[in-house]
Amino acid sequence: AQSVTQLDSQVPVFEEAPVELRCNYSSSVSVYLFWYVQYPNQGLQLLLKYLSGSTLVKGINGFEAEFNKSQTSFHLRKPSVHISDTAEYFCAVSARSGGYQKVTFGIGTKLQVIP
Amino acid sequence: DAMVIQNPRYQVTQFGKPVTLSCSQTLNHNVMYWYQQKSSQAPKLLFHYYDKDFNNEADTPDNFQSRRPNTSFCFLDIRSPGLGDAAMYLCATSSGEVNEQFFGPGTRLTVL
């Protein structure tokens, strides 16, 4: 079985400052990794994904993430945040379990951008 | 644009009164999911359909049922909603090995 740990439940950051949201995972099989963003009263929207190849992946809205297999991490970064980035961010891992590809979500990190 | 649609966006029901939430997709994905999400928590998978094959999570209460009459539509039935069932219900779809999931906007259920 796989699991996902998001180390920070809330991250306050000033506008135009850089931010890193941390995600660690565990799995006994190979995985695909995702970051989703959720705005209030909306569904989850895919920010970026790691499937294979380059460990640095770029997503929408200026976000990027780096897959580190040795540290089993997939941290999300943005060099300069905007007010509109205020939202909840979920890390997710997809791995084969019980005969099908199962997705497990972390508990989420609330990013609060301060003007 | 291809998308996942959920209706209604907001649903109010009374304690014990059956309610049905609907989800439709234009992505032609073969897998559809229902998640329950409570405030400040991760989405919790209730069940999913792989084509017509229904897969129930072990801890999903019997009070929750689902129907998938065709590829495009999937319904979540809550037979006797309790106060603890108030939550956001998210529908998602996927296809292929990677299982990248595409989410609808959700239905927020209030139980009075």
Side-chain angles (χ1 to χ4, degrees):
Chain A
Q2 67 262 34
S3 66
V4 179
T5 302
Q6 291 184 245
L7 298 163
D8 306 297
S9 60
Q10 294 191 50
V11 173
V13 61
F14 286 104
E15 192 174 15
E16 297 183 5
V19 70
E20 179 178 81
L21 306 184
R22 296 179 293 170
C23 174
N24 288 88
Y25 70 93
S26 68
S27 176
S28 57
V29 298
S30 61
V31 299
Y32 305 113
L33 295 159
F34 307 89
W35 275 99
Y36 288 87
V37 59
Q38 186 177 34
Y39 300 101
N41 287 315
Q42 294 188 26
L44 277 68
Q45 179 185 4
L46 183 70
L47 270 180
L48 48 76
K49 59 189 175 187
Y50 173 78
L51 305 182
S52 64
S54 173
T55 57
L56 182 64
V57 293
K58 294 187 183 296
I60 63 171
N61 301 342
F63 283 92
E64 62 180 32
E66 185 152 21
F67 170 57
N68 188 319
K69 188 174 182 180
S70 62
Q71 296 187 6
T72 60
S73 67
F74 190 54
H75 301 332
L76 181 70
R77 297 192 292 258
K78 185 169 183 177
S80 174
V81 297
H82 302 288
I83 293 289
S84 58
D85 293 323
T86 295
E88 190 153 19
Y89 293 78
F90 291 92
C91 181
V93 59
S94 175
R96 185 154 288 276
S97 173
Y100 69 94
Q101 201 74 8
K102 183 173 182 178
V103 173
T104 301
F105 289 89
I107 63 169
T109 297
K110 288 185 177 177
L111 175 63
Q112 183 181 6
V113 180
I114 305 164
Chain B
D1 285 344
M3 57 194 338
V4 182
I5 302 162
Q6 290 189 246
N7 285 305
R9 293 293 314 279
Y10 299 90
Q11 176 74 57
V12 180
T13 190
Q14 292 181 336
F15 183 93
K17 185 174 181 181
V19 66
T20 295
L21 310 181
S22 73
C23 176
S24 63
Q25 54 133 339
T26 60
L27 297 161
N28 203 32
H29 285 168
N30 59 335
V31 191
M32 294 186 76
Y33 306 82
W34 279 105
Y35 289 90
Q36 179 193 64
Q37 187 183 27
K38 296 189 176 180
S39 181
S40 298
Q41 295 184 22
K44 177 182 180 297
L45 182 64
L46 296 173
F47 24 60
H48 75 279
Y49 278 92
Y50 193 104
D51 293 319
K52 292 185 177 181
D53 293 334
F54 177 72
N55 297 273
N56 199 33
E57 293 299 298
D59 57 353
T60 298
D62 293 340
N63 197 26
F64 291 86
Q65 305 282 315
S66 184
R67 296 169 283 136
R68 189 180 186 186
N70 54 52
T71 300
S72 301
F73 286 87
C74 196
F75 300 97
L76 171 62
D77 301 308
I78 308 177
R79 294 192 296 187
S80 181
L83 298 179
D85 296 328
M88 174 76 91
Y89 289 87
L90 297 167
C91 175
T93 71
S94 74
S95 69
E97 171 69 12
V98 172
N99 201 13
E100 174 185 342
Q101 298 194 4
F102 295 79
F103 284 82
T107 294
R108 181 163 294 284
L109 178 68
T110 300
V111 181
L112 301 177

